[in-house]
Amino acid sequence: MALLSFLGAIQQVTGSCYLIESRDGARVLLDCGLRQGRREEEQGNYEPFAFDPLSLDAVVISHAHLDHTGLLPKLAAGGYRGPIFATDATCELMELMLLDAAHIQENDAEWENKWRARQGKAPIKPLYTTRDAEQALKLRRPLVYGQPHEVAKGVQITFHDAGHILGSAIVEIEVQDHHLKRHLVFSGDLGNDCSPLMRDPSFLSKADVVLLESTYGDRDHRCSSDTIEELADILQKAHREGGNVLIPSFAVGRTQDLIYYLGRFYQEGRLPQQAVFLDSPMAIRANAIYSRFHEQFAPEDRAILAAKGVKRVEDWLPILRCTPTPEDSMAINRIKSGAIIIAGSGMCTGGRIVHHFKHNLWRSECHLVFPGFQAAGTLGRSIVDGATSVKVLHQRIAVKAQIHTLGGFSAHAGQSQLLDWVGHFDHHPELYLVHGELEKMQALQQALREKLNWIANIPEPGEQIAL
C-alpha cells in the first residue's frame, strides 16, 4: 500500500518534510526544509535524514522559503541526483535563497572555528557549502500551475496557486496504488487573502487525504485596512519623535508587500519619511524576479501599478534606496532620524538587521515594526515577548525602541481562512494538521470540530500512515 511519513514541520512551524512511498516502490519527497528557531531544533538539521537520499525518485517543493527548501543542498551533498520539481518562479527564487543560505553556513562555520581554535577545540564543518547548493540547483525542473506531471512511476503532481509568495503552490498528488488512485493534497503555506500582489489561494474539492498548514490556526489576522492604517500612524509618530523605523523582513514575499504599501502611502502623500532603505542584497534580487513574473500578480494590483505606468513594485516608491554592498549598509548608520530601514533576517536571527539594532534598538525615539511571525527561540520572538535587553553581535543592548507587531501583514491564512479553504473539500477527507506549533494546531483542531464537525489528526514526528 502507499505510505506517507511525517518527517518535518510536525507540531512545529519549520522544517517541512514528508515522504510518499507507492506500492510500486516510487519514493517522492515533499519539501526538504530547514529547521529554524531554538538551538535544539536547529541542531536537528545536522542529524542524518530519516531516509537514504539515493533511494528517492523525485523531490517536490511547495515554495522557495528556507523552511521548505533549506536542506536541499544537504540532500545533494548526500548523493541525491534526481529531479527537484517546483513552479517556474519558485525555481528562480530558490537560487537566491539556497546560495545565500550556503554562504551563511560557510561564514558561520568560519566564525565559529576562529573561536574554537583559540580554545583548542576541533573545527566544525558547515551544514553544507556553496558547491552543494549549486549541485542542488542543477536538479531543478520548473512546472507551471495547473499542469499535471508524472514525477515518478505512478506518482503525478499538479501545482495550484497558494497565494503565499510568488510561485507558492498547493500540491495535488495522485498516487497509483494498484488499481486505485489515492489522492493527497498538501496545502503548502496558504496565503492571506488580504495580501497585496498575490492572487487568492486556489480552492480544491477532491482528496482522500489533506495536509493543512496551521501556522495561525488559533486566530484571525486583523483587517488588512486597519493594519495599513496602523503602519501609517507608526510612521507619522516616528517622524514626529525624530527616530528611525526598523522593519525586519523576509527578503521574499514580505518585503515586496511592504514596498507596495509604502509606495501607496507615497502616492497618496502620506509618507513623511525622506528615505526608505532596502538593506538586503537578497531582497533586491528578489524584486527583480518579482518584476519578471509580474503577470502572476493579482489582476487588481497589476492594474493599480499600470495606472501609474510602472510594472516594477520598486518604481511605485521613488524614495526607495537599495543598499547592496556592506559599505552602503554601514553608511545608513550615520542617519539618526527620518529613515525607514527594511532588512533581513525576518526573525532577526542574523543578517543586516542586527547591525541596525546596534545603532537604534536602545533609542526610545526609534520604532521597531515586526510585520510577521517570529518563531520560538529567535531574537525577534524574544523582543516581541518583552525582553528588556538582548544580546546582539556579542553585546548586550537595551531594548528601548517602541515595539509594534502587525499581524495583518502575515502572508499566512488566519483561522477563518484555513477553515474556509479546507471546507471546500467534499466528504471530509482524512485531515492532518502540519506546520504549526502544537497549541495552534489544537486550537484549529477544536475549531474544525465545532464549526465543520470534522475530526482532524495531529501527527507525531516520524509517524507513518497508509494512504
Side-chain angles (χ1 to χ4, degrees), residues 269-420:
R270 294 202 296 152
L271 189 62
Q273 278 75 16
Q274 301 302 305
V276 178
F277 292 97
L278 180 54
D279 192 27
S280 165
M282 195 200 303
I284 294 165
R285 295 195 295 273
N287 282 353
I289 295 172
Y290 266 65
S291 296
R292 281 205 296 282
F293 286 92
H294 71 273
E295 74 283 353
Q296 293 187 16
F297 292 173
E300 59 272 23
D301 294 318
R302 270 211 323 272
I304 289 169
L305 295 173
K308 290 289 182 180
V310 300
K311 287 182 179 177
R312 302 190 324 151
V313 179
E314 55 266 46
D315 292 340
W316 173 241
L317 180 60
I319 61 169
L320 182 70
R321 302 181 194 175
C322 295
T323 53
T325 69
E327 292 75 23
D328 293 335
S329 177
M330 286 187 282
I332 300 171
N333 296 328
R334 295 197 291 269
I335 299 172
K336 301 303 177 191
S337 68
I340 298 170
I341 304 164
I342 303 171
S345 69
M347 296 187 194
C348 314
T349 51
R352 294 182 179 182
I353 193 67
V354 295
H355 292 274
H356 297 301
F357 279 0
K358 190 175 165 185
H359 294 270
N360 294 274
L361 192 59
W362 50 272
R363 299 171 57 210
S364 60
E365 69 274 21
C366 289
H367 291 251
L368 172 56
V369 179
F370 288 100
F373 181 80
Q374 302 297 308
T378 61
L379 175 58
R381 181 69 163 261
S382 296
I383 295 171
V384 167
D385 286 347
T388 55
S389 70
V390 291
K391 197 169 184 183
V392 175
L393 301 171
H394 301 286
Q395 287 181 289
R396 179 69 50 184
I397 293 179
V399 180
K400 293 289 181 71
Q402 296 167 60
I403 311 301
H404 311 269
T405 56
L406 297 177
F409 279 147
S410 175
H412 285 270
Q415 186 190 83
S416 294
Q417 293 165 334
L418 293 170
L419 292 172
D420 180 47

Side-chain angles (χ1 to χ4, degrees), residues 143-279:
L143 299 176
V144 299
Y145 290 125
Q147 173 187 299
H149 187 87
E150 187 173 67
V151 297
K153 186 183 178 186
V155 181
Q156 177 181 281
I157 70 161
T158 308
F159 288 131
H160 304 274
D161 199 335
H164 174 60
I165 62 168
L166 186 71
S168 61
I170 297 159
V171 187
E172 181 181 14
I173 305 170
E174 286 189 358
V175 182
Q176 193 74 40
D177 193 13
H178 282 283
H179 302 299
L180 287 173
K181 270 190 181 171
R182 310 309 294 166
H183 202 161
L184 169 70
V185 172
F186 171 45
S187 70
D189 287 1
L190 290 174
N192 181 349
D193 54 21
C194 295
S195 295
L197 302 177
M198 296 297 98
R199 296 171 179 161
D200 291 348
S202 305
F203 290 117
L204 282 72
S205 60
K206 305 290 184 204
D208 297 307
V209 176
V210 175
L211 307 186
L212 176 63
E213 73 119 317
S214 48
T215 316
Y216 287 99
D218 62 335
R219 64 188 184 276
D220 286 330
H221 304 304
R222 288 183 63 200
C223 170
S224 177
S225 58
D226 289 349
T227 303
I228 295 164
E229 289 310 309
E230 184 183 356
L231 177 60
D233 290 344
I234 293 166
L235 299 179
Q236 294 290 344
K237 188 170 189 280
H239 178 65
R240 290 193 302 270
E241 294 175 354
N244 292 323
V245 179
L246 305 185
I247 309 181
S249 183
F250 298 109
V252 177
R254 192 64 42 76
T255 290
Q256 289 72 37
D257 293 354
L258 286 165
I259 292 170
Y260 177 87
Y261 285 127
L262 294 174
R264 200 167 106 184
F265 294 156
Y266 179 88
Q267 299 292 337
E268 294 168 354
R270 294 202 296 152
L271 189 62
Q273 278 75 16
Q274 301 302 305
V276 178
F277 292 97
L278 180 54
D279 192 27

Side-chain angles (χ1 to χ4, degrees), residues 66 97-110 126 128 130 282 345 349-351:
L66 286 180
M97 304 201 76
L98 295 184
L99 290 176
D100 182 72
H103 179 67
I104 289 169
Q105 296 294 340
E106 290 172 329
N107 276 4
D108 284 355
E110 183 182 352
Y128 49 74
T130 299
M282 195 200 303
S345 69
T349 51

